[in-house]
Amino acid sequence: NDAKTNRMSVKAIMKSSNLTALMHRSQAERNKKQFNEINEIEDDQQFLMRALPALEDASMTGASKTDPETAIVKLGKYGRPSNTRLYLSPAHDWLCWDRSSLVSMVLQKGGMNWITISHIVRVETGMNTTNFARRRTTASDEEISRSFSIVTHDRALDLIAHTTEYAKVWVRTLTLLSYKYYMDEGEASSGSLFTRYLEEQWNRADTDRSGSLTLKELVHLV
């Protein structure tokens, strides 16, 4: 009887695992189709109307860090990868992601990190930062196509999406949002616009993202 009960328990577990895997595959197919459709939209305003709710939903519905199609790998300071969720705040003014360790959650008092959209200088596709350089030598072309970096005046957030389609949606969305803030800031204050211009030129010259300029980079800037 015990053996029969154990066999029934194993079958039940296997059936449950198969059902979960089937649900994940089904969700992955729906997400891939959704992001493909969004990427095909040419008009920027219509693109944002479709993209913004999709990028909010990834957080509002309690999505897991390992959900298919919306999983994001974040590279830490020394290139160490960790799974996380990436999502926009409801007001679309913050780019948020989950902290990857219990220690960071305790020390920084919370489960979320964020970058203010207005602080984004640019969004780069591929593996171009110093942090990515550690991984680029062994990465496939397909993995590089799923990679992107969000560069602010003092840091770069290096990410690898689960699919190229998902990466493209994020890159275009963040580029459009940061450009909107850039233009709004310029209309509000010419001084702010000039400051943003200087920050952008510095970041363009700081090719290794070290936070300082070498003599070669300084000459190129001048």
Side-chain angles (χ1 to χ4, degrees):
N1 288 337
D2 289 342
K4 183 177 180 181
T5 300
N6 288 337
R7 286 196 298 271
M8 292 177 64
S9 298
V10 170
K11 288 182 178 179
I13 293 173
M14 292 178 64
K15 184 177 180 180
S16 177
S17 298
N18 290 337
L19 180 60
T20 300
L22 181 61
M23 291 174 62
H24 281 172
R25 284 197 298 271
S26 178
Q27 182 63 47
E29 290 173 0
R30 288 196 297 271
N31 286 336
K32 186 172 184 178
K33 181 180 178 181
Q34 178 189 29
F35 295 129
N36 266 327
E37 291 175 350
I38 293 174
N39 282 321
E40 290 174 357
I41 300 174
E42 295 183 2
D43 182 79
D44 289 339
Q45 186 173 355
Q46 292 182 16
F47 169 84
L48 286 177
M49 289 177 64
R50 285 287 306 277
L52 292 175
L55 299 181
E56 288 177 37
D57 288 345
S59 67
M60 302 303 287
T61 58
S64 165
K65 297 178 184 179
T66 56
D67 274 356
E69 305 304 314
T70 57
I72 286 280
V73 173
K74 184 180 77 69
L75 297 192
K77 185 176 181 181
Y78 301 105
R80 183 178 179 180
S82 60
N83 289 326
T84 189
R85 289 185 306 137
L86 191 68
Y87 51 97
L88 292 170
S89 63
H92 311 141
D93 54 350
W94 287 2
L95 173 68
C96 311
W97 66 96
D98 291 339
R99 301 193 194 281
S100 57
S101 70
L102 181 60
V103 174
S104 63
M105 290 176 63
V106 172
L107 293 178
Q108 300 184 46
K109 298 181 181 180
M112 181 185 75
N113 267 319
W114 70 88
I115 288 176
T116 304
I117 296 295
S118 61
H119 290 176
I120 295 176
V121 175
R122 66 183 178 278
V123 185
E124 298 181 352
T125 57
M127 297 181 172
N128 302 311
T129 65
T130 300
N131 208 21
F132 261 138
R134 303 179 178 94
R135 190 181 184 102
R136 188 170 55 233
T137 54
T138 58
S140 65
D141 291 341
E142 190 270 339
E143 183 179 19
I144 293 175
S145 73
R146 295 186 279 111
S147 305
F148 59 103
S149 299
I150 301 163
V151 182
T152 70
H153 68 281
D154 61 355
R155 69 172 297 174
L157 182 65
D158 300 313
L159 304 163
I160 305 173
H162 186 67
T163 65
T164 303
E165 291 80 11
Y166 192 48
K168 287 181 177 179
V169 170
W170 269 116
V171 168
R172 186 176 173 188
T173 298
L174 293 175
T175 299
L176 291 172
L177 287 179
S178 60
Y179 179 75
K180 179 180 181 298
Y181 275 98
Y182 177 82
M183 296 304 294
D184 290 346
E185 186 179 81
E187 292 176 0
S189 169
S190 59
S192 298
L193 182 61
F194 181 67
T195 300
R196 184 64 177 265
Y197 170 78
L198 292 178
E199 290 176 352
E200 182 174 2
Q201 296 309 307
W202 174 280
N203 279 279
R204 288 185 184 281
D206 184 20
T207 55
D208 63 356
R209 311 294 184 266
S210 63
S212 60
L213 298 182
T214 64
L215 180 59
K216 182 178 179 181
E217 290 172 338
L218 186 58
V219 171
H220 180 73
L221 175 61
V222 176

